[in-house]
Amino acid sequence: MVNLGDEFPNFEAETTVGKISFHDWLGDSWGILFSHPSDFTPVCTTELSRVAKLVPQFEERNVKPIALSCNSISSHLQWIDDIKSYGGLSIKNFPYPIIADESRDLAVLLGMLDPVEKDSDGLPLTCRSVFIIDSAKKLRLSILYPATTGRNFNEILRVIDSLLLTDKHKVATPVDWEKGGDCMVLPHIKSEEAKELFPKGFSSVIVPSGKAYIRITPQP
Ligand code: BEZ
């Protein structure tokens, strides 16, 4: 189990682009590692195709995607043709690697195994985990979805935008925030300091408690 802020394990893995050592593969980039229950399943096919289309948006943010399931490389490679066909992707090379964790060692290490879903041999499938790892190799976000619910990768990009912004500025992003939207001054910042930090100003929302803790500022 890796907690937020922990260094993400530096594992070695067989992937559709050859063997990788995870930290070397990341280099100076951020990474999104996402697992899926199995190759040749409908929801997973929609997800991997969506991520392939979003690769330029991940690249813009200096984030490298990598997928994982417990199937073999040959299965992944055959499935990639279906993913490309489903998504109408006219590309020769699939734009991100898929890890083949046939031994399930990585899935166990990273707490990815689904307690309910089993493959045809009765072995546990991986659930839909999402890990976002920063350029210092620290885990910054972890979400677990059930097999029956496909992920929303727009939300993942939104979180990355929030992480990149809040790493740089002393703000937090409110509910349903989107890039460019108003932000919250961090609670521990004193108003005197906030005046210096946020030249565009900030306003406090008046609430019954009389406490000025909801302070809104334009996105720095
Ligand atoms: C799917 O990807 O469609 C799926 C995989 C396992 C269980 C349910 C759905």
Side-chain angles (χ1 to χ4, degrees):
M1 166 91 180
V2 195
N3 292 315
L4 293 188
D6 285 353
E7 182 173 278
F8 203 78
N10 183 20
F11 56 83
E12 301 219 316
E14 295 295 342
T15 81
T16 47
V17 295
K19 193 167 180 159
I20 62 158
S21 174
F22 189 57
H23 285 193
D24 288 345
W25 177 80
L26 281 173
D28 294 329
S29 302
W30 288 48
I32 167 172
L33 168 60
F34 61 103
S35 62
H36 54 270
S38 189
D39 295 1
F40 303 103
T41 48
V43 176
C44 301
T45 306
T46 63
E47 289 187 319
L48 273 84
S49 140
R50 176 81 179 126
V51 174
K53 288 181 185 168
L54 288 176
V55 161
Q57 304 207 39
F58 283 112
E59 278 174 357
E60 248 174 50
R61 293 160 173 84
N62 192 30
V63 180
K64 292 166 108 174
I66 187 164
L68 177 151
S69 73
C70 299
N71 306 99
S72 65
I73 296 287
S74 62
S75 164
H76 287 348
L77 291 174
Q78 201 191 349
W79 184 40
I80 278 174
D81 286 339
D82 287 2
I83 298 167
K84 289 199 284 195
S85 162
Y86 170 80
L89 295 160
S90 48
I91 44 169
K92 187 167 175 285
N93 296 321
F94 198 64
Y96 59 91
I98 308 177
I99 296 171
D101 184 30
E102 282 189 284
S103 65
R104 289 169 162 69
D105 286 351
L106 260 180
V108 170
L109 173 74
L110 299 173
M112 288 171 160
L113 288 181
D114 192 300
V116 178
E117 299 296 334
K118 305 272 192 290
D119 69 10
S120 51
D121 298 323
L123 291 169
L125 296 172
T126 33
C127 46
R128 297 185 202 282
S129 303
V130 181
F131 295 115
I132 295 177
I133 301 117
D134 69 16
S135 52
K137 319 287 186 282
K138 301 267 192 292
L139 178 65
R140 301 298 300 276
L141 169 130
S142 160
I143 324 181
L144 266 184
Y145 291 74
T148 43
T149 305
R151 286 159 281 204
N152 181 333
F153 284 92
N154 291 328
E155 166 61 5
I156 306 294
L157 286 169
R158 192 190 74 89
V159 177
I160 291 168
D161 285 339
S162 173
L163 286 168
L164 292 171
L165 178 76
T166 57
D167 274 3
K168 228 169 137 188
H169 300 283
K170 292 185 175 172
V171 292
T173 59
V175 61
D176 297 340
W177 173 86
E178 298 280 351
K179 205 171 177 175
D182 283 349
C183 298
M184 300 296 188
V185 177
L186 286 179
H188 68 268
I189 306 285
K190 299 237 178 340
S191 286
E192 282 314 304
E193 190 188 350
K195 280 180 198 154
E196 283 174 25
L197 285 173
F198 304 110
K200 292 180 192 163
F202 64 92
S203 57
S204 301
V205 177
I206 296 166
V207 283
S209 68
K211 298 180 197 293
Y213 61 96
I214 307 176
R215 294 173 298 174
I216 300 173
T217 188
Q219 180 183 312

